[in-house]
Amino acid sequence: MNYTQLREHDDTPQAPGRLDVLQRFLNLHDHVPGVNEDRPPPLEMVRDCLVDQGLLRSDAPYRPADHARVVELYDAVHARLRSVEAGETTDASSGRIEELARSASFRLRFGDEPGLEPASEGVDGAIGRLLAILFLAQLDGTWSHMKECASPTCHSVFYDRSKNRSGKWCSMQSCGNQHKVRAWRERHRADAVDA
């Protein structure tokens, strides 16, 4: 599956503002049906996403070594999501994220739209733009609404809009319903065995 196909099939509600860009990046995956583990997103899928989201110029080089660094960020941010969901205050992913941020060399922007942006271009700049979104979302509190789907066969990231932040599924139409059907079948199997 390529990035365009993945985007067309993504029914996960969008996160607000620029956080949607990070969400789209985190929802890249190469899923093998029937297997619980996703493979890291392939090079072309990631490159297409970075270009589509305005993080990387279409003529910028994107080599296997660049891809390895971007996938490192992808893995670290997913690990960070899981550690936050588990209630951990410190995790190893923070160090990996901070190390990747060093290559972006950030600068502050003041004026009508203050912000944090990378001084670097190319892949370092793309990584920096994703990290700036993550950092600002942590500051404004929107990051605490980001979760990884609870389905064992889905690792999509969604923005939990529930008042008490109790959402579990990226989509009730797909993952939520699949979970309900599995639970119903397990209950009925257990009832049949007990009868």
Side-chain angles (χ1 to χ4, degrees), residues 130-143:
L130 289 166
L131 289 171
I133 294 168
L134 171 60
F135 182 76
L136 294 173
Q138 286 186 314
L139 286 179
D140 70 17
T142 54
W143 178 252

PDB file of all heavy atoms in Angstrom, residues 130-143:
ATOM      1  N   LEU A 130       8.397  18.139  12.575  1.00  0.00           N
ATOM      2  CA  LEU A 130       7.599  17.181  13.339  1.00  0.00           C
ATOM      3  C   LEU A 130       7.845  17.341  14.842  1.00  0.00           C
ATOM      4  O   LEU A 130       6.907  17.313  15.646  1.00  0.00           O
ATOM      5  CB  LEU A 130       7.914  15.753  12.890  1.00  0.00           C
ATOM      6  CG  LEU A 130       7.410  15.376  11.502  1.00  0.00           C
ATOM      7  CD1 LEU A 130       8.050  14.086  11.031  1.00  0.00           C
ATOM      8  CD2 LEU A 130       5.884  15.279  11.484  1.00  0.00           C
ATOM      9  N   LEU A 131       9.105  17.548  15.206  1.00  0.00           N
ATOM     10  CA  LEU A 131       9.428  17.720  16.619  1.00  0.00           C
ATOM     11  C   LEU A 131       8.872  19.028  17.173  1.00  0.00           C
ATOM     12  O   LEU A 131       8.441  19.076  18.333  1.00  0.00           O
ATOM     13  CB  LEU A 131      10.944  17.664  16.829  1.00  0.00           C
ATOM     14  CG  LEU A 131      11.557  16.277  16.644  1.00  0.00           C
ATOM     15  CD1 LEU A 131      13.071  16.364  16.656  1.00  0.00           C
ATOM     16  CD2 LEU A 131      11.061  15.313  17.710  1.00  0.00           C
ATOM     17  N   ALA A 132       8.853  20.072  16.366  1.00  0.00           N
ATOM     18  CA  ALA A 132       8.275  21.343  16.810  1.00  0.00           C
ATOM     19  C   ALA A 132       6.782  21.172  17.089  1.00  0.00           C
ATOM     20  O   ALA A 132       6.260  21.680  18.088  1.00  0.00           O
ATOM     21  CB  ALA A 132       8.508  22.434  15.761  1.00  0.00           C
ATOM     22  N   ILE A 133       6.090  20.429  16.232  1.00  0.00           N
ATOM     23  CA  ILE A 133       4.667  20.161  16.450  1.00  0.00           C
ATOM     24  C   ILE A 133       4.478  19.403  17.761  1.00  0.00           C
ATOM     25  O   ILE A 133       3.613  19.740  18.569  1.00  0.00           O
ATOM     26  CB  ILE A 133       4.069  19.375  15.260  1.00  0.00           C
ATOM     27  CG1 ILE A 133       4.075  20.236  14.001  1.00  0.00           C
ATOM     28  CG2 ILE A 133       2.658  18.886  15.587  1.00  0.00           C
ATOM     29  CD1 ILE A 133       3.787  19.461  12.716  1.00  0.00           C
ATOM     30  N   LEU A 134       5.302  18.369  17.976  1.00  0.00           N
ATOM     31  CA  LEU A 134       5.227  17.580  19.205  1.00  0.00           C
ATOM     32  C   LEU A 134       5.492  18.455  20.431  1.00  0.00           C
ATOM     33  O   LEU A 134       4.744  18.432  21.412  1.00  0.00           O
ATOM     34  CB  LEU A 134       6.228  16.428  19.146  1.00  0.00           C
ATOM     35  CG  LEU A 134       6.443  15.618  20.421  1.00  0.00           C
ATOM     36  CD1 LEU A 134       5.156  14.973  20.893  1.00  0.00           C
ATOM     37  CD2 LEU A 134       7.519  14.569  20.192  1.00  0.00           C
ATOM     38  N   PHE A 135       6.542  19.261  20.380  1.00  0.00           N
ATOM     39  CA  PHE A 135       6.920  20.105  21.514  1.00  0.00           C
ATOM     40  C   PHE A 135       5.815  21.113  21.851  1.00  0.00           C
ATOM     41  O   PHE A 135       5.423  21.259  23.010  1.00  0.00           O
ATOM     42  CB  PHE A 135       8.234  20.830  21.206  1.00  0.00           C
ATOM     43  CG  PHE A 135       8.721  21.688  22.330  1.00  0.00           C
ATOM     44  CD1 PHE A 135       9.310  21.120  23.448  1.00  0.00           C
ATOM     45  CD2 PHE A 135       8.584  23.062  22.279  1.00  0.00           C
ATOM     46  CE1 PHE A 135       9.757  21.910  24.494  1.00  0.00           C
ATOM     47  CE2 PHE A 135       9.026  23.864  23.317  1.00  0.00           C
ATOM     48  CZ  PHE A 135       9.623  23.282  24.437  1.00  0.00           C
ATOM     49  N   LEU A 136       5.297  21.790  20.845  1.00  0.00           N
ATOM     50  CA  LEU A 136       4.257  22.789  21.082  1.00  0.00           C
ATOM     51  C   LEU A 136       2.958  22.135  21.566  1.00  0.00           C
ATOM     52  O   LEU A 136       2.248  22.705  22.400  1.00  0.00           O
ATOM     53  CB  LEU A 136       4.024  23.627  19.829  1.00  0.00           C
ATOM     54  CG  LEU A 136       5.213  24.506  19.426  1.00  0.00           C
ATOM     55  CD1 LEU A 136       4.976  25.165  18.078  1.00  0.00           C
ATOM     56  CD2 LEU A 136       5.529  25.541  20.494  1.00  0.00           C
ATOM     57  N   ALA A 137       2.673  20.926  21.086  1.00  0.00           N
ATOM     58  CA  ALA A 137       1.480  20.201  21.554  1.00  0.00           C
ATOM     59  C   ALA A 137       1.632  19.793  23.018  1.00  0.00           C
ATOM     60  O   ALA A 137       0.651  19.768  23.765  1.00  0.00           O
ATOM     61  CB  ALA A 137       1.229  18.972  20.682  1.00  0.00           C
ATOM     62  N   GLN A 138       2.858  19.490  23.431  1.00  0.00           N
ATOM     63  CA  GLN A 138       3.070  19.189  24.844  1.00  0.00           C
ATOM     64  C   GLN A 138       2.878  20.451  25.682  1.00  0.00           C
ATOM     65  O   GLN A 138       2.321  20.391  26.768  1.00  0.00           O
ATOM     66  CB  GLN A 138       4.452  18.598  25.070  1.00  0.00           C
ATOM     67  CG  GLN A 138       4.539  17.176  24.581  1.00  0.00           C
ATOM     68  CD  GLN A 138       5.853  16.519  24.934  1.00  0.00           C
ATOM     69  OE1 GLN A 138       6.926  17.094  24.763  1.00  0.00           O
ATOM     70  NE2 GLN A 138       5.773  15.300  25.415  1.00  0.00           N
ATOM     71  N   LEU A 139       3.309  21.598  25.177  1.00  0.00           N
ATOM     72  CA  LEU A 139       3.150  22.852  25.906  1.00  0.00           C
ATOM     73  C   LEU A 139       1.687  23.267  26.034  1.00  0.00           C
ATOM     74  O   LEU A 139       1.260  23.725  27.089  1.00  0.00           O
ATOM     75  CB  LEU A 139       3.933  23.979  25.231  1.00  0.00           C
ATOM     76  CG  LEU A 139       5.441  23.967  25.388  1.00  0.00           C
ATOM     77  CD1 LEU A 139       6.057  25.133  24.634  1.00  0.00           C
ATOM     78  CD2 LEU A 139       5.853  24.003  26.851  1.00  0.00           C
ATOM     79  N   ASP A 140       0.922  23.123  24.951  1.00  0.00           N
ATOM     80  CA  ASP A 140      -0.475  23.594  25.011  1.00  0.00           C
ATOM     81  C   ASP A 140      -1.456  22.536  25.520  1.00  0.00           C
ATOM     82  O   ASP A 140      -2.638  22.797  25.652  1.00  0.00           O
ATOM     83  CB  ASP A 140      -0.932  24.173  23.668  1.00  0.00           C
ATOM     84  CG  ASP A 140      -1.110  23.142  22.563  1.00  0.00           C
ATOM     85  OD1 ASP A 140      -1.194  21.927  22.839  1.00  0.00           O
ATOM     86  OD2 ASP A 140      -1.199  23.559  21.392  1.00  0.00           O
ATOM     87  N   GLY A 141      -0.970  21.331  25.809  1.00  0.00           N
ATOM     88  CA  GLY A 141      -1.808  20.293  26.402  1.00  0.00           C
ATOM     89  C   GLY A 141      -2.515  19.385  25.417  1.00  0.00           C
ATOM     90  O   GLY A 141      -3.128  18.395  25.825  1.00  0.00           O
ATOM     91  N   THR A 142      -2.454  19.683  24.119  1.00  0.00           N
ATOM     92  CA  THR A 142      -3.163  18.835  23.168  1.00  0.00           C
ATOM     93  C   THR A 142      -2.503  17.458  23.015  1.00  0.00           C
ATOM     94  O   THR A 142      -3.175  16.489  22.671  1.00  0.00           O
ATOM     95  CB  THR A 142      -3.280  19.502  21.778  1.00  0.00           C
ATOM     96  OG1 THR A 142      -1.977  19.887  21.326  1.00  0.00           O
ATOM     97  CG2 THR A 142      -4.190  20.717  21.831  1.00  0.00           C
ATOM     98  N   TRP A 143      -1.227  17.361  23.305  1.00  0.00           N
ATOM     99  CA  TRP A 143      -0.525  16.074  23.195  1.00  0.00           C
ATOM    100  C   TRP A 143      -1.136  15.033  24.137  1.00  0.00           C
ATOM    101  O   TRP A 143      -1.184  13.850  23.817  1.00  0.00           O
ATOM    102  CB  TRP A 143       0.964  16.247  23.478  1.00  0.00           C
ATOM    103  CG  TRP A 143       1.702  14.953  23.424  1.00  0.00           C
ATOM    104  CD1 TRP A 143       2.227  14.251  24.458  1.00  0.00           C
ATOM    105  CD2 TRP A 143       1.978  14.172  22.254  1.00  0.00           C
ATOM    106  NE1 TRP A 143       2.801  13.100  24.016  1.00  0.00           N
ATOM    107  CE2 TRP A 143       2.671  13.026  22.661  1.00  0.00           C
ATOM    108  CE3 TRP A 143       1.699  14.350  20.906  1.00  0.00           C
ATOM    109  CZ2 TRP A 143       3.093  12.052  21.764  1.00  0.00           C
ATOM    110  CZ3 TRP A 143       2.118  13.378  20.017  1.00  0.00           C
ATOM    111  CH2 TRP A 143       2.809  12.246  20.454  1.00  0.00           C
TER     112      TRP A 143
END
